[in-house]
Amino acid sequence: MTTAFYRRDRSQQPLPLSPGYKSTVLRAPVRPLHALEQTVLEQTGPALGHTPLGPLDHDLIRNAATTGDALGERIYVFGRVLDENARPVPNALIEVWQANAAGRYAHVRDGYLAPLDPNFSGCGRCLSDAEGRYLFRTIKPGPYPWPNNGSDWRPAHIHLSVFGEAFSQRLITQLYFEGDPLIPLCPIVNTIPDKDAVDRLVARLDLRNQEPFDCLAYRFDIVLRGRRQTHFENRTEGL
Amino acid sequence: MNDRLKETPSQTAGPYVHIGTAPQAIGRPALPHQPGPVIESNTGEAIVIEGLIRDGSGTPVRDAMLEIWQADGMGRVGEYGLFARATTDFDTGIFRFQTVRPGQHAEGHAPHVAMLIFARGINIHLHTRMYFPEDRETLTKDPDMRRLEPEAVATLVAAEDGKTEDGLPLYRFDIRLQGENETVFFDI
């Protein structure tokens, strides 16, 4: 049977309207969100993490290669997908996209002058295992300028889209890299008012998990919403 | 309570969301089993949902990604639930889903399509619902709608818009992110 999820803790989330990030000014709703009780619809979700993926889907260094490996600093990004109760979330689907090592996206709408890499598409995906562990291999993306307050610069980041076991757990976010001086200057990072929450978007260098003479490793754990404890299970729907 | 972890904060999906979630929108093949905008299901009547997302100035949002999740035609969710993903057209801003008319999945709740919106300038996805104009009369009794003003409920009801070129019933569902007739977004 399904049980309800904890209400989303909005204090840990970005503010919808954050004028420093100009695109929010006309896109953030003005009216408050309307709170509803969950039904079984929100407590379940599509089983996207139960279909096996292609053997190179998690390897962005090779999955779009034509003449050789993608250029850049070779890294693993790995960690665990957990819920708020610290339980592993198995079979989570994680889709990722990112700029190349020069800070350029392989996207028709990106006009940044930095070069494309013919061996890199910036698209990948992986599944978490029974203990919630996931891993992908990629190159460290470059920072890039964007028109916001004149030329702002994005810190190096990877976009992650996560499906847990229920629609209520849906999450799209970005991970940043430990030590990047652009993080505190970024208007998109600064849409999150809680500094500890920002810190949880920073992947940590993990030298012990490197691939020697090949690849550095960064650790990034993902936490999805958790279900209320089972003693609430039999409460009447709709109260 | 104290040993609870905190949810990972959301960040905007940004303008290049297509690379990872809908590569067909930028001229690359979709990955195997990657969800697209068409749901094939023999559990109900096939329908098409089309719409436009407008920002606070009325300008169409042309770089959004949307996801829908609904009961199948027999009102079943969980493993029978139906999921799809679409992006807005780079020129017109129109999004389009083909799905089936959902059945009722919970007592007293009018059938609906749950919808998430991700885009540049949206820091955490917006969650709305599309209801059907055929249910307009009973919608006022729906437990989820009764605390909303009628004008607010109206933002969640699609309009019948004739038939598609293939003869499927077409529903028009426009979303207003901000301002006059702002769509109701939920915290569920």
Side-chain angles (χ1 to χ4, degrees):
Chain A
M1 277 312 293
T2 59
T3 55
F5 286 85
Y6 300 119
R7 195 157 283 290
R8 180 164 261 136
D9 180 357
R10 301 259 166 195
S11 75
Q12 299 301 304
Q13 295 295 338
L15 297 170
L17 176 62
S18 327
Y21 174 23
K22 287 188 176 169
S23 294
T24 68
V25 172
L26 286 172
R27 293 187 170 191
V30 173
R31 293 166 55 111
L33 298 178
H34 187 72
L36 290 182
E37 287 298 316
Q38 295 152 20
T39 69
V40 67
L41 184 66
E42 293 84 19
Q43 293 165 13
T44 60
L48 298 173
H50 293 261
T51 310
L53 303 180
L56 290 179
D57 282 7
H58 72 292
D59 185 0
L60 287 76
I61 289 180
R62 297 255 163 91
N63 70 14
T66 52
T67 60
D69 285 0
L71 287 175
E73 184 180 332
R74 301 159 72 87
I75 59 171
Y76 288 131
V77 175
F78 76 103
R80 295 181 82 193
V81 186
L82 303 168
D83 69 15
E84 289 170 291
N85 297 314
R87 283 196 279 251
V89 180
N91 298 110
L93 171 66
I94 304 173
E95 297 167 296
V96 302
W97 66 101
Q98 64 169 89
N100 69 22
R104 175 80 183 271
Y105 284 95
H107 189 289
V108 289
R109 309 281 277 207
D110 186 4
Y112 181 35
L113 55 78
L116 288 168
D117 178 347
N119 293 309
F120 188 74
S121 73
C123 167
R125 55 183 182 173
C126 62
L127 300 177
S128 65
D129 70 9
E131 279 83 49
R133 294 176 303 203
Y134 76 93
L135 166 83
F136 57 93
R137 189 173 79 150
T138 185
I139 52 87
K140 191 171 174 184
Y144 59 84
W146 59 299
N148 185 55
N149 294 295
S151 170
D152 281 331
W153 285 77
R154 292 302 324 278
H157 63 277
I158 298 175
H159 295 265
L160 298 98
S161 159
V162 188
F163 287 89
E165 58 186 22
F167 200 59
S168 289
Q169 294 178 310
R170 188 76 179 93
L171 175 72
I172 288 186
T173 190
Q174 302 179 27
L175 75 76
Y176 304 99
F177 292 90
E178 182 176 7
D180 188 337
L182 291 170
I183 294 171
L185 305 178
C186 175
I188 290 178
V189 171
N190 289 330
T191 63
I192 303 172
D194 187 302
K195 293 292 172 239
D196 292 336
V198 169
D199 198 50
R200 285 184 279 111
L201 291 182
V202 179
R204 307 289 164 188
L205 181 68
D206 184 343
L207 272 181
R208 287 191 307 171
N209 280 302
Q210 66 176 293
E211 193 71 43
F213 303 104
D214 180 345
C215 190
L216 276 174
Y218 283 88
R219 182 180 178 105
F220 183 72
D221 289 339
I222 298 164
V223 180
L224 304 180
R225 288 169 72 184
R227 293 186 194 270
R228 288 183 212 160
Q229 303 302 309
T230 46
H231 51 268
F232 291 111
E233 194 166 303
N234 296 323
R235 67 194 254 298
T236 311
E237 275 300 317
L239 286 184
Chain B
M1 289 293 281
N2 290 332
D3 56 356
R4 260 179 62 186
L5 302 177
K6 289 176 172 164
E7 187 188 14
T8 299
S10 170
Q11 291 272 262
T12 179
Y16 308 124
V17 61
H18 317 84
I19 296 173
T21 65
Q24 68 277 13
I26 50 169
R28 292 204 207 113
L31 302 176
H33 309 293
Q34 199 164 35
V38 175
I39 292 170
E40 304 278 1
S41 170
N42 57 11
T43 62
E45 180 193 9
I47 59 169
V48 169
I49 300 167
E50 261 187 15
L52 206 53
I53 305 171
R54 291 183 189 277
D55 71 12
S57 73
T59 305
V61 173
R62 299 182 178 92
D63 54 8
M65 189 271 281
L66 300 94
E67 291 175 344
I68 60 171
W69 171 240
Q70 62 167 76
D72 72 2
M74 297 158 72
R76 299 177 299 182
V77 294
E79 62 185 300
Y80 301 103
L82 302 176
F83 179 82
R85 177 187 273 171
T87 53
T88 56
D89 185 88
F90 285 127
D91 296 319
T92 63
I94 294 280
F95 65 85
R96 181 182 173 111
F97 288 101
Q98 182 181 321
T99 179
V100 296
R101 189 185 301 278
Q104 187 184 50
H105 73 268
E107 185 74 28
H109 291 254
H112 58 267
V113 175
M115 188 178 280
L116 303 184
I117 302 165
F118 302 86
R120 170 177 64 88
I122 296 177
N123 293 328
I124 179 164
H125 57 271
L126 297 171
H127 187 162
T128 189
R129 286 178 177 176
M130 190 198 99
Y131 287 90
F132 289 86
E134 297 85 345
D135 298 321
R136 194 173 270 132
E137 299 307 313
T138 51
L139 210 48
T140 52
K141 299 187 193 74
D142 185 292
D144 288 343
M145 296 296 113
R146 62 189 169 203
R147 286 189 297 115
L148 286 170
E149 297 296 322
E151 310 83 68
V153 175
T155 69
L156 304 175
V157 182
E160 284 177 281
D161 198 15
K163 302 268 189 197
T164 67
E165 56 274 24
D166 301 327
L168 302 180
L170 177 62
Y171 289 93
R172 174 84 184 192
F173 185 59
D174 287 343
I175 292 160
R176 186 71 188 246
L177 296 179
Q178 184 190 88
E180 200 178 341
N181 297 318
E182 184 175 306
T183 300
V184 174
F185 298 106
F186 296 105
D187 186 15
I188 307 182

